[in-house]
Amino acid sequence: PDELQAIAKKYDLPKMFAYYPAQTWEHKNHIRLLEALVMLRDVHHITIPLVLSGTINAYGYTIQKYIHRMGLDKQVLMLGYVSTLEVQALYRLCTMMVFPSRFEGWGLPLTEAMSAGVPVACSNITHLPDIVADAGLVFDPDDTASMADVMLKLWQNPTLREDLITKGHARASAFSWEITARLFRAHYRQLLGIELLPDEQKILSQPSMI
């Protein structure tokens, strides 16, 4: 609790905010997320503070220019690179995690957020909907209105957030490095023609998690 309070004070965080942890690569889709904030502000008259963390690379300056041009300077906090402890604190302090990426190999922030007890809204691309299953809301990452609608629904409904937190904990528990290691070992042994141990037969017979 002391660390959470200190980090909240350090960055002057609002009581409620959406969080997006990602480097500022173009495919991370920050601009579309900012467009959704503008739509929520100008059409629905709802202001959702947004905190961004992650290394600011060359495209990050395009994002910063858009923030300034659209008058989002007081609404969007762009922290840049932060420590692992601070990332964990931001997960625990935020109201929801929004993940609008257009492409992911896995999307680790989704499992991190669910483990930390954060309701999640994410893109409906590649395998991301399979990762969150029923523990998150999804939207079209190229449809500003779709993203804004999902964010508004999650922002205004505390009962929904609590439901997704409960489901998120259960969903995240299905993913672990130990399970991954055992699964890979079983596949390698099978490919090499080595007789499988009983636990390896069992893990290969179970349905895939995604």
Side-chain angles (χ1 to χ4, degrees), residues 140-161:
D140 181 343
D142 292 314
D143 185 339
T144 303
S146 170
M147 192 183 305
D149 287 345
V150 167
M151 291 176 66
L152 183 61
K153 183 178 181 181
L154 196 51
W155 183 259
Q156 292 187 324
N157 193 331
T159 302
L160 174 61
R161 293 198 302 269

Side-chain angles (χ1 to χ4, degrees), residues 7 19 81-92 112:
I7 291 168
Y19 178 43
Y81 176 83
V82 297
S83 70
T84 301
L85 173 63
E86 289 174 325
V87 170
Q88 289 298 317
L90 288 166
Y91 278 131
R92 285 160 174 76
E112 290 177 340

Side-chain angles (χ1 to χ4, degrees), residues 93-108:
L93 291 166
C94 73
T95 305
M96 61 185 184
M97 199 275 282
V98 185
F99 198 74
S101 179
R102 289 193 175 100
F103 173 80
E104 288 297 322
W106 174 262
L108 192 58

Side-chain angles (χ1 to χ4, degrees), residues 168-180:
H169 279 305
R171 183 61 179 158
S173 68
F175 305 109
S176 77
W177 290 118
E178 181 178 355
I179 291 173
T180 301

